[in-house]
Amino acid sequence: MNTRTGKAARTGQYAALLCYLLFLALPFLWLVSTAFKPARELGSLHPSWIPENPTLDNFRQAFEEQPLLGAAGNSLTAALCAALITVVIATPMAYVTARHRGRLSRAATGWVVVSQAFPFVLIIIPLFLVLKKLHLINSLAGLILVYVVWSLPFALWMLTGYVRAVPPELEEAAAVDGAGKARTLVSVTAPLLAPGIVATALFAFITAWNEFFFALVLLKTPEKQTLPVVLTHFLGAEGVADLGPLAAAAFLATLPSLVVFALIQRRITGGLAAGAVKD
Amino acid sequence: MRRSRLGAAVTATVAALALLLAGCSGGPDGGRGPDGTIRLRFQSLAWQKESVDANKALVEEWNATHPDVQVDYVQGSWDNVHDQLLTSFEGGEAPDIIHDASDDLADFAYGGYLADLRPLLPGRLTEDIPERSWSTTTFDGGVYGVPFLQEPRVLIAATGILRESGVRIPTPQRPWSWEEFRQVTRELTGEGRYGVAWPLKDPVSVTLNLGLSAGGRLFHRDADGKAVIRFEKGDRVMPATVHDQVGTDRSAARTALGMSGSDTLPGFFGGRYAMVPLGFSYRQQVAEQAPEGFEWSVLPAPAGSDGLAQGVSPQTLSVAEESPHKKEAVRFIDFLLRPENMVRLAKGDWMLPTGTKALADPALHTAENGWATGTALAAALRPAPAQTVRGYPEWKDKVATPALQEYYSGAIGIGELEERLVEDGNRVLARYQR
């Protein structure tokens, strides 16, 4: 391939990538645009991307009408705790599943993955009864417990893949050098697993941050409700919506996820490089 | 040494998790506070600011005057309300006072989750709300909710376009007939403009409810009390009018068929549609979003052989069967639905109250924002035809919605529509009535 053709191909690739990124960004851009539009522009037949008379009224109204800050705090607590607990539990489980492969281990992995397919409504009533026995209804602790249980199967599946990617020879070499099992896990395996752990934590965080139905059912009092539940308070029967404040609140609700992702993505790529094995 | 350090780390982690769980945990709910005060939970689905404010203010007023019975306001959500309530009932954690819609109550009433209010309702309330409204919450002889707000479907019209066209403006006393309505929409159709936009994303309730005006019922009760579907002359009028407006006259926008009510508003404000049939409460969005100087008016839906009759599913207040304080819960409902309070709730939601005294309030008879047109329609409102029929939700989702969507878009004719609604529909109902 000559230089000219290579340049054209690269330009084409970048153009395709740009189009794809734009496509992905469209809903978010529309959300931002709507959040800053006054009510009369929302009803326009020819809506513009950039608000003609941008306003902060939707944000003011959203904050006045609903306890957004408290709800954001609840969501953050639930999502961070769920992410932390999920990786603490899933990491050793994934190690065992990946390193001690047998019929039982395969069956267990299969079962946890299949359990992901259960619809929420199927499990919510038994789950509710269990949590009630534990006095965990209307508590963030109960919700966190549910999120951990809900995220664990997929987290386990994800992490098992990462553990398998770590060559057992490294652990054998550490053992030859005199390191015990725990030392090997902490000093050799864990650093190589770091990107996987971070990615899994991110998955658990975003799952919990966005989750609506469990939070709706389990949390009763307004001061305990999470952001997705509070967002539905801008919706009426038959899908009627208070669009401006809803967009403003939804825009604010997406920010923490974006920030967490932005902070963590460097760690993921850094970890990937650290996990590279050279012959 | 290493083992003991690892063990300590595990113990510390478990202890930390236990502490975290204990720290976040809330106490169990109880029917009484520590000082013996009765505590009731009222789950409201109010969502518009004025409506939420009205509900909260009324709860505060009650709490200030009833120190022995305190009400906690709980904000619910229309989204997934059925599943949320079902889980709460099954788990024994339902709110004492429940806000919902009458078409959602049948399963809960038959399931024994709601209290029969007959022995508890004060005579004042029973007499104030008309029998036709009570029938929307009566199941198997028991009354399982107090209907308090309702919403007719009206035509919201661009006043300027109607004025220029010279068509007769209908009133509740002299509404358009379905035929006249079709003629009018033809006259209002012009370059880049349709006479009407029917937002029929969810076509079943609109079709059934407006069909009542022409005598359509679709659901009939046999001598043995079993529900059966029949598609008679009156059932054809409303769907055939829409079908012909879309397919034959081109006076109704085909693109609007898949829209929700809110989706049609930009086209309405932009002069693309002269009229949109919407629920009465949509006036709030119209008032808020209409461009400066845009004139709009509220007209009655077309009338048929049964006049302006149309079906509604009122919003309701119920009491959970498991509530230990049903009497107090009904007392609170009675307070909330005093005529002057019902007016506050109705204005907050831009809907009509069911109570006759509240309906007579002058504040709901002003010409502004079409209130007077709505209140004039109240006497013609009837229970939505199918709301007490078991199996209706399945018939609606699996049979009626796709059949009506195909009919309105012109993919099938009236014969096939009838065949599917009746034959497939009766098969569904039969499973629920064995």
Side-chain angles (χ1 to χ4, degrees):
Chain A
M1 193 189 291
N2 61 35
T3 324
R4 214 169 180 182
T5 320
K7 210 179 239 177
R10 207 162 35 246
T11 311
Q13 284 171 345
Y14 279 121
L17 182 66
L18 191 69
C19 288
Y20 182 60
L21 290 178
L22 264 176
F23 174 73
L24 289 181
L26 276 181
F28 182 70
L29 293 176
W30 190 250
L31 185 74
V32 177
S33 165
T34 306
F36 288 97
K37 278 182 183 168
R40 299 209 187 281
E41 278 188 49
L42 292 174
S44 168
L45 183 58
H46 305 290
S48 58
W49 277 97
I50 299 170
E52 285 163 27
N53 300 296
T55 176
L56 291 172
D57 276 359
N58 293 326
F59 291 90
R60 184 184 48 74
Q61 203 180 327
F63 276 104
E64 269 176 18
E65 288 178 21
Q66 298 298 338
L68 290 180
L69 280 180
N74 292 336
S75 280
L76 204 59
T77 309
L80 283 175
C81 290
L84 181 72
I85 298 170
T86 301
V87 292
V88 165
I89 297 174
T91 307
M93 281 171 70
Y95 185 81
V96 172
T97 316
R99 287 288 184 259
H100 304 282
R101 289 205 229 179
R103 209 178 281 168
L104 186 68
S105 150
R106 271 201 296 275
T109 312
W111 173 245
V112 289
V113 173
V114 166
S115 69
Q116 285 292 92
F118 294 162
F120 281 17
V121 282
L122 190 75
I123 60 161
I124 189 67
I125 291 174
L127 191 70
F128 192 92
L129 293 171
V130 170
L131 290 175
K132 195 185 166 199
K133 281 271 180 214
L134 296 170
H135 298 301
L136 288 175
I137 297 294
N138 197 29
S139 83
L140 278 183
L143 191 67
I144 292 165
L145 198 64
V146 172
Y147 287 166
V148 170
V149 173
W150 193 251
S151 302
L152 257 178
F154 194 74
L156 178 62
W157 184 67
M158 265 177 90
L159 272 172
T160 304
Y162 278 101
V163 175
R164 283 194 188 136
V166 176
E169 290 80 9
L170 289 176
E171 291 169 13
E172 288 162 12
V176 169
D177 289 344
K181 198 74 183 165
R183 176 76 189 273
T184 307
L185 279 176
V186 171
S187 305
V188 178
T189 316
L192 295 171
L193 273 183
I197 291 173
V198 171
T200 308
L202 188 66
F203 155 77
F205 178 88
I206 290 175
T207 303
W209 180 263
N210 291 332
E211 201 283 325
F212 164 68
F213 188 58
F214 287 132
L216 173 76
V217 168
L218 297 176
L219 303 173
K220 309 274 173 204
T221 46
E223 57 275 13
K224 298 227 168 114
Q225 287 177 336
T226 56
L227 260 181
V229 178
V230 169
L231 286 182
T232 63
H233 297 164
F234 294 105
L235 294 171
E238 294 183 25
V240 190
D242 204 354
L243 202 54
L246 174 64
F251 167 57
L252 294 175
T254 56
L255 289 182
S257 292
L258 290 178
V259 170
V260 169
F261 195 82
L263 291 175
I264 279 180
Q265 57 90 20
R266 193 179 294 170
R267 183 91 180 95
I268 295 175
T269 43
L272 278 171
V277 178
K278 295 184 180 73
D279 290 325
Chain B
M1 185 64 191
R2 269 199 302 266
R3 182 171 292 177
S4 69
R5 203 180 288 166
L6 188 67
V10 170
T11 312
T13 309
V14 170
L17 290 179
L19 277 174
L20 178 71
L21 288 174
C24 295
S25 164
D29 291 331
R32 281 184 188 271
D35 57 351
T37 307
I38 292 173
R39 296 211 75 88
L40 300 173
R41 280 194 299 136
F42 164 38
Q43 179 170 298
S44 165
L45 300 180
W47 69 281
Q48 303 195 69
K49 188 179 179 331
E50 302 96 318
S51 174
V52 174
D53 288 348
N55 274 278
K56 285 185 174 169
L58 288 170
V59 168
E60 275 175 32
E61 284 170 32
W62 167 273
N63 285 341
T65 49
H66 297 79
D68 55 330
V69 182
Q70 293 289 288
V71 174
D72 296 322
Y73 180 90
V74 180
Q75 183 66 61
S77 160
W78 283 105
D79 214 14
N80 286 55
V81 65
H82 187 86
D83 292 335
Q84 187 251 330
L85 281 175
L86 183 63
T87 311
S88 303
F89 285 132
E90 287 283 349
E93 287 281 336
D96 299 272
I97 301 142
I98 294 157
H99 180 187
D100 203 352
S102 63
D103 58 357
D104 195 37
L105 295 186
D107 284 348
F108 296 143
Y110 286 115
Y113 299 118
L114 298 176
D116 181 2
L117 303 178
R118 276 174 306 170
L120 303 167
L121 286 171
R124 178 203 74 74
L125 199 55
T126 315
E127 287 153 23
D128 189 40
I129 295 173
E131 189 49 45
R132 59 178 180 275
S133 294
W134 284 117
S135 67
T136 62
T137 56
T138 303
F139 304 95
D140 213 12
V143 172
Y144 294 94
V146 183
F148 71 110
L149 290 178
Q150 55 190 346
E151 177 175 36
R153 205 162 279 269
V154 291
L155 295 170
I156 297 188
T159 312
I161 297 175
L162 262 67
R163 198 190 297 130
E164 281 166 25
S165 71
V167 297
R168 181 180 75 81
I169 306 296
T171 62
Q173 293 72 35
R174 243 191 103 211
W176 287 326
S177 66
W178 281 100
E179 213 175 298
E180 195 180 357
F181 173 60
R182 191 177 157 191
Q183 174 59 36
V184 165
T185 55
R186 274 201 294 255
E187 285 177 39
L188 294 176
T189 301
E191 192 67 38
R193 186 178 72 212
Y194 292 96
V196 66
W198 284 96
L200 290 174
K201 192 177 175 186
D202 182 10
V204 182
S205 61
V206 185
T207 307
L208 286 179
N209 288 341
L210 288 183
L212 280 184
S213 65
R217 282 174 59 199
L218 210 63
F219 289 87
H220 301 262
R221 293 271 175 193
D222 277 349
D224 57 1
K226 286 187 176 174
V228 62
I229 300 171
R230 288 200 292 273
F231 195 74
E232 298 173 339
K233 198 177 159 198
D235 295 302
R236 295 166 184 260
V237 176
M238 185 270 173
T241 304
V242 178
H243 176 269
D244 292 346
Q245 283 174 324
V246 174
T248 310
D249 305 343
R250 315 262 186 230
S251 61
R254 182 180 293 275
T255 48
L257 292 176
M259 291 182 182
S260 69
S262 304
D263 298 336
T264 58
L265 291 182
F268 175 63
F269 297 142
R272 216 166 153 199
Y273 318 129
M275 293 185 288
V276 276
L278 295 172
F280 197 50
S281 66
Y282 271 94
R283 294 170 304 132
Q284 195 248 0
Q285 285 201 26
V286 176
E288 198 177 271
Q289 295 178 11
E292 211 70 58
F294 181 85
E295 281 185 277
W296 56 279
S297 44
V298 177
L299 310 176
S305 57
D306 281 9
L308 284 166
Q310 61 170 288
V312 285
S313 299
Q315 292 189 18
T316 56
L317 291 172
S318 303
V319 176
E321 174 61 26
E322 68 181 18
S323 170
H325 305 293
K326 295 188 189 69
K327 211 169 74 184
E328 289 78 7
V330 173
R331 270 175 60 209
F332 172 71
I333 291 176
D334 182 37
F335 164 80
L336 206 64
L337 303 185
R338 283 180 190 167
E340 65 274 21
N341 296 343
M342 222 193 245
V343 173
R344 286 161 74 180
L345 295 173
K347 288 186 79 176
D349 260 328
W350 292 64
M351 293 176 99
L352 294 178
T354 54
T356 46
K357 288 200 177 80
L359 207 54
D361 192 294
L364 302 182
H365 288 264
T366 59
E368 193 188 2
N369 295 327
W371 277 105
T373 306
T375 42
L377 298 175
L381 303 182
R382 305 278 178 269
Q387 65 178 3
T388 56
V389 174
R390 304 197 82 177
Y392 167 71
E394 186 182 333
W395 172 80
K396 180 186 165 195
D397 291 342
K398 292 185 182 166
V399 177
T401 300
L404 284 168
Q405 281 172 341
E406 285 176 49
Y407 174 66
Y408 286 135
S409 69
I412 60 171
I414 194 92
E416 190 171 344
L417 173 71
E418 175 175 358
E419 193 179 311
R420 284 168 62 175
L421 290 182
V422 176
E423 287 180 23
D424 297 352
N426 280 327
R427 267 199 291 274
V428 171
L429 296 195
R431 277 196 284 110
Y432 288 81
Q433 300 182 104
R434 279 176 190 147

